[in-house]
Amino acid sequence: MVDIMRFMAKVFFFVFVVTWGIDTAPGNLHAADREVILATTTSTVDSGLLDVLIPVFEKQTGFRVKTIAVGTGQALIMGERGEADVLLVHAPEAERKLVDQGIGIHYRLVMHNDFVLVGPASDPAGISKRQISAALKAIFEKQAVFISRGDDSGTHKKEISLWKEAKLDPRGKPWYHESGQGMGATLQMASQKSGYTLTDRATYLALKNSVELVPLCSGDIPLHNIYHVMQVNPERFTKANAAGAKAFIDFLTAPETQTIIGDYGRSKYGEPLFFPDAIRP
C-alpha cells in the first residue's frame, strides 16, 4: 500500500509539474529546451535594439535566443513552416493572416517608430517636406534613382503600398533598383548611388553617420511603422519551444522592458529609436 501511495504521489507531482510549467525555470531547463528561435526583421538587429534586450532576457530566464534576421515576409514564412518559435515583425496586414489561420498566437503589440524617405542632400527630385504621395510622384516624374529593398520585408511591403496609394508602378523602370538585401545594405547602396530609399527611422539613425543621406519626407500617418510579436502555435508544430516563445513575449511586453525600449537611443542619438506600445492585459 505504501509503495502504491508513493507511486501515485510521484504521478501527481509529475502532472503538476507539466501542467504548471515548473520544469521551465532557468535552473531546470534541459539544453535542448533552452534555445528559442526568433525570426525577426533586420531593422530590430541593424538598430542595435536586440543587442540590448536579448542579454537581459537570457539572464532573466535561462533561455538562449537564436536570432534569424530576415525580411518580415520571410520571417512570416518561417512561422508558417514551423521553422521559428517566435516572430517579431512589422507588417500588420500580413501578420493578421497567420493569426487568423491559427498559426500565430499570443499576438501582442510591442512598439512603433516610423518610416522615413531619405535621399541625397541635393534632393534632385525636390521632395523635401512634401507629403509622401507627392514625394513619390516627384521621384517618378524626375526618374530619380530609387533603391527598393525588394525582399518582401515589412519595409518593402510598406514601400509597395505607398507606390500603390500614389497610383504609380515603378517596377521595371531603369531608375528603380532592388537591392534584395536588408535595410543597412540598402541604405549603403542608396548612399553610393545618390538615390532615394524608404527606411525605418531606427536603422537610419543607427547608420546615419556612415551614409550620405538625409531625411526628406517623414511624419505622415501612412509612414507609421508598427511592430508586433507572436508565438508559433505549438499545437500546429509540436517541436516549437512553447515555453521559450511565451517567455519572450512576456518579456517584451513587460513594463520594465517597455521602459528599456522607450529609452533606447536617447543618449546616443538625442531621441528614442522606438516608442513602447504594449498594454498589459
Side-chain angles (χ1 to χ4, degrees):
M1 179 64 70
V2 173
D3 289 340
I4 293 175
M5 291 179 66
R6 287 177 177 172
F7 174 78
M8 292 302 295
K10 289 180 179 179
V11 170
F12 176 80
F13 179 75
F14 174 78
V15 172
F16 181 82
V17 166
V18 170
T19 301
W20 294 99
I22 293 175
D23 59 340
T24 65
N28 296 326
L29 288 170
H30 297 295
D33 299 326
R34 290 180 182 272
E35 184 176 81
V36 181
I37 300 176
L38 167 65
T40 186
T41 172
T42 59
S43 59
T44 59
V45 175
D46 289 343
S47 67
L49 179 64
L50 290 182
D51 291 336
V52 173
L53 295 182
I54 287 177
V56 178
F57 169 73
E58 292 180 338
K59 183 177 181 180
Q60 287 183 2
T61 65
F63 289 106
R64 295 290 176 265
V65 178
K66 179 180 180 181
T67 302
I68 301 177
V70 290
T72 286
Q74 187 59 42
L76 293 172
I77 289 174
M78 290 180 66
E80 288 178 331
R81 295 174 177 172
E83 296 172 350
D85 302 312
V86 62
L87 313 178
L88 177 59
V89 285
H90 63 139
E93 185 175 343
E95 297 159 14
R96 177 55 62 180
K97 293 179 182 178
L98 261 67
V99 175
D100 292 343
Q101 293 169 6
I103 295 172
I105 61 174
H106 299 133
Y107 184 56
R108 299 288 304 279
L109 178 63
V110 177
M111 60 193 181
H112 77 275
N113 58 10
D114 64 344
F115 291 104
V116 183
L117 192 55
V118 299
S122 60
D123 190 15
I127 70 169
S128 179
K129 299 180 181 179
R130 294 196 186 196
Q131 297 281 319
I132 183 62
S133 289
L136 292 176
K137 287 179 182 177
I139 290 172
F140 192 94
E141 291 171 358
K142 294 286 186 179
Q143 299 184 34
V145 174
F146 188 97
I147 310 300
S148 169
R149 283 185 55 170
D151 62 351
D152 198 34
S153 62
T155 303
H156 182 222
K157 290 177 183 294
K158 171 60 71 172
E159 179 222 318
I160 295 301
S161 73
L162 292 172
W163 284 113
K164 186 176 181 180
E165 288 172 13
K167 297 181 172 58
L168 298 169
D169 186 359
R171 293 172 298 179
K173 304 296 183 182
W175 48 267
Y176 183 82
H177 308 277
E178 294 186 342
S179 72
Q181 301 183 71
M183 197 68 255
T186 301
L187 283 167
Q188 294 290 346
M189 185 174 174
S191 180
Q192 292 165 5
K193 292 182 175 293
S194 296
Y196 297 93
T197 192
L198 185 73
T199 176
D200 64 286
R201 186 181 295 273
T203 305
Y204 170 72
L205 288 174
L207 300 177
K208 69 176 183 177
N209 292 332
S210 64
V211 295
E212 295 183 3
L213 300 168
V214 297
L216 295 168
C217 181
S218 62
D220 285 1
I221 290 177
L223 293 175
H224 285 186
N225 184 25
I226 301 170
Y227 291 79
H228 289 88
V229 66
M230 73 177 83
Q231 176 183 350
V232 174
N233 192 342
E235 293 184 1
R236 299 283 292 271
F237 302 100
T238 57
K239 292 184 179 180
N241 188 339
K246 184 59 167 59
F248 189 73
I249 292 172
D250 290 343
F251 169 77
L252 281 185
T253 56
E256 297 80 6
T257 309
Q258 290 283 291
T259 298
I260 295 173
I261 290 172
D263 287 340
Y264 180 68
R266 289 182 186 274
S267 60
K268 186 173 182 179
Y269 306 109
E271 60 181 292
L273 271 62
F274 298 93
F275 299 89
D277 289 321
I279 301 174
R280 300 295 288 174

